[in-house]
Amino acid sequence: TQPVLFTEGISDEYILDQAWKKLYPDESRPFCIHNAFDRIFLRNLFSRDNDEFVKKYRCRTLFALFDFDEAYDDWKGLIKNRKETDEITDPFNGLTAKLKDRNHYAMLLPVPKIEKIKKQVLNEDDEPWDQPHLSIELLFFKEELMEKGFEKKSMPGGGELIKFNGDKVKFAEEYILTLEEIDFEVFRPMFEFIKGKC
């Protein structure tokens, strides 16, 4: 019966659950977090217009959270025909738009203010690149974490791309548990928006 925040995968679900516990230790969460297996399933679920899902859950508050990578195209596809203006336009707070004719929201991960990661997502005007690269693990990137599954790839023109290629579930279940509240602050604006809709 609660609103639901759908994520792309199970590791995202673990990370967001832990983020809530760290940021709001004395507050019960007014929404469920549930993984949707992958970004394609999540996009398909929220793109349905005239089927039983929308008829049954049109008024129920639902959120679809996408990574800010190839899923950026999925997000843009969902919001292209929207009419509502209820949205977040600051990428550092997680770009968010309400889908048309229903109480469903499409969201992108907030961009962290880690300069190396920000450059992979936004240009100098803070507008998204055509091919951004931000998975949820990159929100926690630090140089000393290279052995935790991060790697640097050389790009054309002498650029560098930081990627996570480790075990996502292990990262979420083990490393994330060692972090402090401050490490999850990037999620606070997104959670505050969701709380406001609950």
Side-chain angles (χ1 to χ4, degrees):
T1 58
Q2 288 184 314
V4 181
L5 170 60
F6 287 98
T7 69
E8 288 186 24
I10 194 164
S11 60
D12 308 73
E13 182 181 342
Y14 291 158
I15 290 169
L16 292 169
D17 181 60
Q18 188 65 23
W20 178 272
K21 289 175 182 174
K22 291 288 187 177
L23 293 172
Y24 304 94
D26 302 317
E27 192 174 330
S28 108
R29 196 175 66 223
F31 58 94
C32 300
I33 302 174
H34 192 71
N35 75 81
F37 312 112
D38 61 34
R39 72 180 178 88
I40 296 168
F41 185 88
L42 184 57
R43 180 198 65 217
N44 289 341
L45 183 65
F46 274 73
S47 63
R48 297 173 177 180
D49 282 329
N50 297 310
D51 69 358
E52 198 59 35
F53 176 77
V54 173
K55 289 176 188 171
K56 189 171 182 181
Y57 299 114
R58 181 179 302 280
C59 295
R60 187 168 178 187
T61 305
L62 303 176
F63 306 90
L65 178 63
F66 293 93
D67 286 354
F68 211 149
D69 52 16
E70 60 268 12
Y72 178 50
D73 288 335
D74 299 316
W75 180 82
K76 287 191 298 186
L78 283 176
I79 70 165
K80 68 180 176 186
N81 295 321
R82 67 184 167 80
K83 294 178 183 175
E84 290 82 355
T85 57
D86 190 354
E87 61 185 32
I88 296 173
T89 58
D90 183 344
F92 299 102
N93 291 335
L95 295 174
T96 299
K98 185 175 183 184
L99 304 187
K100 71 173 187 174
D101 305 326
R102 63 180 96 161
N103 207 26
H104 302 169
Y105 297 84
M107 312 177 84
L108 285 167
L109 284 177
V111 178
K113 294 185 177 173
I114 304 167
E115 194 60 26
K116 286 184 178 182
I117 304 302
K118 174 189 170 288
K119 287 180 178 179
Q120 298 184 175
V121 188
L122 306 173
N123 65 22
E124 58 278 359
D125 297 319
D126 290 339
E127 296 292 328
W129 293 111
D130 288 336
Q131 296 180 329
H133 186 83
L134 176 64
S135 65
I136 197 167
E137 295 80 14
L138 290 172
L139 298 178
F140 306 99
F141 175 76
K142 295 174 184 158
E143 288 288 342
E144 59 268 25
L145 290 180
M146 292 305 289
E147 74 280 358
K148 295 279 186 191
F150 294 95
E151 67 174 346
K152 294 179 181 178
K153 292 270 192 184
S154 296
M155 298 293 292
E160 190 175 71
L161 182 68
I162 299 169
K163 299 179 75 171
F164 182 80
N165 67 351
D167 184 323
K168 288 176 171 273
V169 174
K170 185 176 180 183
F171 183 84
E173 289 182 328
E174 295 177 10
Y175 175 70
I176 292 297
L177 294 177
T178 69
L179 300 178
E180 301 298 326
E181 176 183 339
I182 193 166
D183 298 306
F184 297 99
E185 283 295 331
V186 68
F187 292 113
R188 194 179 294 275
M190 182 187 81
F191 281 150
E192 288 297 318
F193 177 84
I194 292 171
K195 282 171 60 180
K197 299 303 173 187
C198 294

